[in-house]
Protein backbone atom coordinates (compact mmCIF):
# COMPACT_ATOMS: atom_id res chain seq x y z
CA UNK A 1 0.00 0.00 0.00
CA UNK A 2 1.31 3.44 -0.95
CA UNK A 3 2.10 5.85 1.87
CA UNK A 4 0.25 9.16 1.54
CA UNK A 5 1.00 12.60 2.96
CA UNK A 6 -0.91 15.86 3.11
CA UNK A 7 1.27 17.71 0.59
CA UNK A 8 2.39 21.17 1.67
CA UNK A 9 2.56 22.36 -1.96
CA UNK A 10 -0.70 20.93 -3.30
CA UNK A 11 -2.75 21.00 -0.07
CA UNK A 12 -4.12 17.50 -0.64
CA UNK A 13 -3.44 13.86 0.18
CA UNK A 14 -0.98 12.44 -2.34
CA UNK A 15 1.50 9.54 -2.47
CA UNK A 16 4.57 10.28 -0.36
CA UNK A 17 8.27 9.67 -0.87
CA UNK A 18 9.73 6.21 -0.21
CA UNK A 19 12.42 7.64 2.08
CA UNK A 20 13.67 11.03 3.31
CA UNK A 21 15.62 12.82 0.55
CA UNK A 22 18.05 14.44 3.06
CA UNK A 23 19.51 13.36 6.38
CA UNK A 24 18.28 14.98 9.58
CA UNK A 25 15.31 17.18 10.40
CA UNK A 26 15.05 18.75 6.92
CA UNK A 27 14.76 15.33 5.29
CA UNK A 28 12.17 14.16 7.82
CA UNK A 29 10.11 17.32 7.27
CA UNK A 30 10.12 16.81 3.49
CA UNK A 31 9.36 13.09 3.92
CA UNK A 32 6.36 13.84 6.14
CA UNK A 33 4.91 16.89 4.33
CA UNK A 34 5.85 16.77 0.64
CA UNK A 35 4.37 14.44 -1.98
CA UNK A 36 6.36 12.43 -4.48
CA UNK A 37 4.74 14.52 -7.23
CA UNK A 38 5.95 17.82 -5.71
CA UNK A 39 9.44 16.40 -5.06
CA UNK A 40 9.77 15.11 -8.63
CA UNK A 41 8.69 18.50 -9.96
CA UNK A 42 11.23 20.21 -7.70
CA UNK A 43 14.02 17.94 -8.97
CA UNK A 44 13.27 18.98 -12.57
CA UNK A 45 13.01 22.65 -11.65
CA UNK A 46 16.22 22.50 -9.62
CA UNK A 47 18.10 21.04 -12.59
CA UNK A 48 16.74 23.79 -14.82
CA UNK A 49 17.83 26.50 -12.33
CA UNK A 50 21.31 25.03 -11.94
CA UNK A 51 21.81 24.80 -15.69
CA UNK A 52 20.20 28.10 -16.70
CA UNK A 53 21.90 30.16 -13.99
CA UNK A 54 25.14 28.19 -14.24
CA UNK A 55 25.19 27.48 -10.52
CA UNK A 56 28.14 25.69 -8.97
CA UNK A 57 27.05 23.33 -6.22
CA UNK A 58 30.55 23.52 -4.74
CA UNK A 59 29.85 27.21 -4.03
CA UNK A 60 28.16 27.81 -0.64
CA UNK A 61 26.15 30.80 -1.94
CA UNK A 62 24.76 28.77 -4.86
CA UNK A 63 23.81 25.91 -2.52
CA UNK A 64 22.08 28.39 -0.19
CA UNK A 65 20.18 29.85 -3.16
CA UNK A 66 18.96 26.38 -4.23
CA UNK A 67 17.98 25.53 -0.64
CA UNK A 68 15.97 28.76 -0.31
CA UNK A 69 14.25 28.21 -3.65
CA UNK A 70 13.47 24.60 -2.71
CA UNK A 71 11.77 25.75 0.49
CA UNK A 72 9.71 28.31 -1.46
CA UNK A 73 8.81 25.81 -4.21
CA UNK A 74 7.73 23.07 -1.82
CA UNK A 75 5.69 25.52 0.27
CA UNK A 76 3.76 26.82 -2.72
CA UNK A 77 5.31 30.31 -2.53
CA UNK A 78 6.71 32.38 -5.40
CA UNK A 79 10.05 30.90 -6.48
CA UNK A 80 12.79 31.73 -8.99
CA UNK A 81 12.20 30.80 -12.60
CA UNK A 82 14.72 30.09 -15.31
CA UNK A 83 15.05 33.25 -17.41
CA UNK A 84 13.24 33.04 -20.72
CA UNK A 85 11.70 29.64 -19.98
CA UNK A 86 8.14 29.24 -21.22
CA UNK A 87 6.44 26.00 -20.13
CA UNK A 88 4.94 23.99 -22.99
CA UNK A 89 1.25 24.63 -23.50
CA UNK A 90 -1.06 21.67 -23.13
Amino acid sequence: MTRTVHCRKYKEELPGLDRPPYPGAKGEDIYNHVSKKAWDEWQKHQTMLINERRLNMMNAEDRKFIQTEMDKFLSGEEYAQAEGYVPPSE
Side-chain angles (χ1 to χ4, degrees):
M1 185 168 173
T2 304
R3 183 178 86 69
T4 61
V5 297
H6 186 78
C7 183
R8 182 182 298 145
K9 180 171 178 67
Y10 292 109
K11 312 281 190 262
E12 60 182 286
E13 288 291 321
L14 293 168
L17 296 167
D18 295 331
R19 59 185 170 77
Y22 286 107
K26 178 66 119 182
E28 284 298 317
D29 181 55
I30 292 169
Y31 179 73
N32 290 321
H33 300 104
V34 174
S35 67
K36 181 169 178 20
K37 175 183 174 184
W39 183 254
D40 290 345
E41 288 174 5
W42 164 248
Q43 293 290 286
K44 291 174 187 167
H45 186 71
Q46 171 184 259
T47 300
M48 192 169 31
L49 285 177
I50 291 169
N51 291 338
E52 188 70 27
R53 294 175 180 242
R54 293 181 169 89
L55 301 178
N56 178 352
M57 293 299 93
M58 297 295 286
N59 180 313
E61 286 185 31
D62 289 352
R63 286 193 312 269
K64 185 176 180 180
F65 170 78
I66 285 292
Q67 183 74 41
T68 300
E69 294 308 309
M70 178 185 74
D71 292 341
K72 290 178 188 177
F73 182 92
L74 296 176
S75 295
E77 299 174 22
E78 287 289 319
Y79 53 90
Q81 301 290 325
E83 293 179 30
Y85 176 74
V86 177
S89 58
E90 294 182 24

